[in-house]
């Protein structure tokens, strides 16, 4: 998006002209983001940004390919800040165990989405859909950044022996091909079965995010946090963890036994289900209808 000229490619320290151009681009990107937050993508235009930074619209074509370029710039900046916020939340819970980190990171996603509905719209809502129609690889950005963050936590569960996931031969071939592409974005040698658990998580979490942001069913669920906590407690339990800090003195042994005495078992399509000793057979459920725990796209 940033234009290049012969004096932009020098190897020495930036010239005054280059510094002014970099400052203008930063100011324009910040103004584009401000306009998007205030008015949505519909209120974003090259002329509006130019007015905001005190230049003529043609001066911005050096940096942005019209409105499409502006929207892409906002998408990039919002995604970077959003993922950094989620990563910081996970890091703050680093000494409390993977379950606490998964809860903290997913809660950060919810809090950010509710606080920034216009920016949520551009990276996950209708604004994203319009942008992705012309940028087919755009969705890979969020999968790599946000999905990769959650992917690390799922990897820790897998390495601890707590994660039950289907082997490749147990997955429908048509779905397996898609999962392999998704898994490659999450990291090298990422098992498609684990990727299946993650995308199954996301389909449930994304639904609640949309409820909260777009105020769907707000007459009854005006505050989505209790519903969110109920969902996360259930989903984390299916992974054999909880949002409560893990005890360092009495860690749970590797395997599938959770602190509540429940055992995680694989569902037929790769989901994870949790049953107690007394009701193990009666509580068997398909993960395709219930979902599994919190991750990202």
């Amino acid at each position: 998006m940033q234009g290049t000229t012969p004096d932009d490619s020098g190897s020495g320290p930036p010239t005054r002209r280059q510094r002014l151009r970099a400052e203008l681009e930063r100011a324009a990107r910040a103004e584009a983001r401000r306009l998007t937050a205030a008015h949505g993508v519909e209120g974003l235009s090259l002329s509006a940004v130019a007015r905001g930074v005190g230049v003529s619209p043609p001066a911005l074509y050096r940096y942005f390919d019209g409105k499409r370029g502006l929207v892409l710039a906002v998408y990039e900046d919002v995604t970077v800040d959003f993922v950094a916020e989620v990563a910081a939340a996970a890091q703050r819970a680093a000494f409390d165990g993977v379950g606490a980190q998964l809860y903290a990171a997913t809660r950060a996603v919810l809090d950010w989405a509710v606080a920034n509905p216009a920016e949520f719209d551009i990276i996950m809502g209708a604004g994203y859909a319009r942008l992705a129609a012309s940028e087919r690889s755009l969705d890979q950005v969020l999968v790599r950044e946000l999905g990769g963050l959650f992917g690390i936590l799922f990897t820790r569960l897998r390495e601890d022996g707590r994660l039950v996931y289907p082997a490749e031969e147990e997955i429908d071939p048509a779905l397996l091909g898609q999962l392999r592409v998704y898994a490659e974005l999450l990291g090298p040698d990422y098992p498609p079965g684990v990727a299946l658990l993650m995308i199954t998580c996301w389909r449930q979490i994304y639904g609640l995010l949309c409820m909260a942001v777009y105020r769907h069913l707000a007459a009854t669920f005006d505050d989505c946090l209790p519903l969110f906590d109920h969902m996360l407690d259930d989903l984390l339990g299916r992974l054999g963890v909880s949002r409560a800090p893990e005890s360092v003195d009495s860690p749970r042994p590797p395997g599938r036994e959770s602190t509540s005495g429940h055992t995680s078992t694989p569902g037929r399509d790769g989901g994870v289900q949790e049953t107690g000793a007394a009701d193990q057979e009666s509580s068997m459920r398909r993960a395709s209808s219930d979902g599994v725990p919190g991750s990202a796209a």
Side-chain angles (χ1 to χ4, degrees), residues 85-136:
E85 192 168 321
V86 176
Q91 182 59 34
R92 286 192 294 271
F95 295 102
D96 295 331
V98 180
Q101 284 190 282
L102 284 169
Y103 177 86
T106 311
R107 172 66 186 272
V109 172
L110 174 69
D111 290 346
W112 179 89
V114 172
N116 302 277
E119 295 188 339
F120 173 85
D121 185 75
I122 202 173
I123 66 172
M124 297 187 200
Y128 164 79
R130 291 191 292 271
L131 186 59
S134 61
E135 298 288 335
R136 290 186 58 85

Side-chain angles (χ1 to χ4, degrees), residues 75-76 79-80 82-84 87 128 135-153 181-188 190 198-199 295-297:
Y75 177 91
E76 292 171 356
T79 299
V80 168
F82 166 54
V83 173
Y128 164 79
E135 298 288 335
R136 290 186 58 85
S137 64
L138 194 64
D139 59 346
Q140 297 181 5
V141 175
L142 201 59
V143 172
R144 282 195 304 265
E145 301 301 324
L146 187 63
L149 189 158
F150 281 93
I152 292 172
L153 298 177
V181 175
Y182 181 63
E184 287 176 2
L185 295 173
L186 295 173
Y190 210 84
M198 289 185 63
I199 197 64
S295 153

Side-chain angles (χ1 to χ4, degrees), residues 36-238:
T36 300
H39 308 293
V41 176
E42 295 76 12
L44 184 61
S45 69
L46 209 65
S47 59
V49 172
R51 283 195 302 270
V53 298
V55 299
S56 65
L60 295 182
Y61 277 101
R62 174 184 297 276
Y63 311 100
F64 309 102
D65 181 18
K67 179 172 179 176
R68 171 182 164 277
L70 282 174
V71 175
L72 280 171
V74 172
Y75 177 91
E76 292 171 356
D77 293 346
V78 168
T79 299
V80 168
D81 289 350
F82 166 54
V83 173
E85 192 168 321
V86 176
Q91 182 59 34
R92 286 192 294 271
F95 295 102
D96 295 331
V98 180
Q101 284 190 282
L102 284 169
Y103 177 86
T106 311
R107 172 66 186 272
V109 172
L110 174 69
D111 290 346
W112 179 89
V114 172
N116 302 277
E119 295 188 339
F120 173 85
D121 185 75
I122 202 173
I123 66 172
M124 297 187 200
Y128 164 79
R130 291 191 292 271
L131 186 59
S134 61
E135 298 288 335
R136 290 186 58 85
S137 64
L138 194 64
D139 59 346
Q140 297 181 5
V141 175
L142 201 59
V143 172
R144 282 195 304 265
E145 301 301 324
L146 187 63
L149 189 158
F150 281 93
I152 292 172
L153 298 177
F154 270 68
T155 295
R156 286 175 56 189
L157 289 177
R158 179 169 65 91
E159 291 175 347
D160 288 347
R162 293 192 263 189
L163 199 62
V164 180
Y165 58 95
E168 293 189 16
E169 58 269 20
E170 299 176 293
I171 303 173
D172 180 86
L175 178 58
L176 180 60
Q178 296 174 329
L179 290 172
R180 283 174 174 158
V181 175
Y182 181 63
E184 287 176 2
L185 295 173
L186 295 173
D189 302 319
Y190 210 84
V194 178
L196 176 58
L197 295 185
M198 289 185 63
I199 197 64
T200 306
C201 305
W202 181 242
R203 71 187 183 195
Q204 187 169 152
I205 292 169
Y206 180 70
L208 192 140
L209 292 177
C210 290
M211 279 183 63
V213 172
Y214 300 124
R215 306 287 294 163
H216 183 59
L217 299 180
T220 49
F221 298 100
D222 59 324
D223 177 7
C224 283
L225 184 55
L227 187 60
F228 172 86
D229 283 345
H230 180 272
M231 176 185 70
L232 260 291
D233 286 340
D234 178 63
L235 298 180
L236 291 172
R238 294 170 187 274

